[in-house]
Amino acid sequence: MYHDITPDDKFIKNEKVPGPTKEEIRTLTISKAQIHEEDVVVDIGCGTGGLTLEFAKRAKKVYSIDMNPEAIETTYENLKKHGLEKKVELIKEEGLKALENIENYTILMIGGSGHNLQNIIETGYLKLPITGKILITSIILETATETVYTLKQLGAKPEVVQLNVSRGTILDRGVMMKALNPITLITAKKL
Ligand code: SAH
């Protein structure tokens, strides 16, 4: 099945909610996730719903979690706009707490974790089936290093990609490149 990646300007935004994850970052994240139509995805820290929307197009079911009620509302609006709301269960709760009540997922995405990163990774990874996948996007250096350390402790072999994307602005005198915030994407398969 073929699906496009939704452009950034097709999302409804709320200034109090981060995201959507930029199109180029979503593209690589989806590529690394290698989603099959039988997959069940958990998206912790769904924000605007940027990644949730991409998962919903491709997976059987998505659980999207955020502790900010406005994020849940914004994600719902975006799913509705794109006709994908039936694929997604929205959960307004802290990620670790919500995760404890979800079984049988095959892909775990962590896009926000606050101070609970290590616990979320440990709990989430242990509940994944063998060959299940975990993906973490990070805007903070410490999140990336803590993620790698935690995954190694769990016996996983994390892959780390730093994404430095610049977009061109067309000016009369040429193309001016403007950098987006660098993102570190960490992925691992459950061994
Ligand atoms: N991937 C999203 C953007 C994520 S922004 C998109 O594409 O739109 C990160 C989100 O994580 C924020 O909305 C924040 O409220 C949420 N978050 C941070 N820590 C959390 C936690 N421990 N539990 C649940 N949500 C959390």
Side-chain angles (χ1 to χ4, degrees):
M1 209 179 290
Y2 177 80
H3 295 288
D4 285 323
I5 298 284
T6 300
D8 294 350
D9 64 4
K10 295 284 185 287
F11 284 88
I12 298 161
K13 295 187 202 189
N14 175 332
E15 59 183 31
K16 293 188 197 128
V17 179
T21 301
K22 297 285 187 291
E23 179 184 329
E24 294 84 350
I25 313 293
R26 278 184 282 123
T27 302
L28 197 80
T29 306
I30 290 304
S31 165
K32 295 287 180 195
Q34 301 259 305
I35 303 162
H36 298 282
E37 44 190 36
E38 287 307 305
D39 275 314
V40 176
V41 182
V42 173
D43 184 10
I44 299 185
C46 60
T48 299
L51 285 169
T52 284
L53 197 89
E54 301 303 338
F55 292 133
K57 290 179 205 170
R58 298 165 174 86
K60 184 165 85 183
K61 177 168 179 136
V62 185
Y63 294 92
S64 294
I65 302 157
D66 207 295
M67 56 195 183
N68 177 0
E70 292 186 87
I72 294 294
E73 182 61 34
T74 308
T75 296
Y76 181 74
E77 284 173 20
N78 279 308
L79 289 168
K80 186 107 178 126
K81 177 174 175 184
H82 295 92
L84 289 161
E85 74 277 12
K86 290 202 178 73
K87 284 273 196 93
V88 180
E89 187 170 328
L90 292 163
I91 305 168
K92 190 202 77 58
E93 201 170 24
E94 195 285 314
L96 183 63
K97 273 196 97 196
L99 198 55
E100 281 163 2
N101 298 316
I102 304 173
E103 308 296 333
N104 300 324
Y105 56 87
T106 54
I107 295 176
L108 175 63
M109 171 74 226
I110 307 173
S113 54
H115 296 293
N116 252 345
L117 179 69
Q118 201 172 337
N119 283 332
I120 291 174
I121 293 174
E122 282 171 4
T123 304
Y125 183 85
L126 291 174
K127 287 176 93 168
L128 272 175
I130 302 295
T131 76
K133 285 164 226 134
I134 182 167
L135 302 99
I136 297 97
T137 49
S138 152
I139 54 173
I140 293 173
L141 279 179
E142 286 77 3
T143 305
T145 52
E146 197 181 331
T147 295
V148 171
Y149 175 80
T150 308
L151 286 170
K152 280 174 72 183
Q153 293 283 100
L154 289 163
K157 292 193 172 69
E159 184 186 307
V160 184
V161 180
Q162 167 106 299
L163 294 156
N164 293 292
V165 175
S166 295
R167 290 178 176 168
T169 301
I170 310 296
L171 306 174
D172 285 346
R173 62 196 163 93
V175 182
M176 181 183 171
M177 301 310 296
K178 292 184 183 167
L180 305 179
N181 293 336
I183 303 278
T184 310
L185 174 64
I186 297 160
T187 52
K189 240 186 195 176
K190 170 90 170 254
L191 299 172

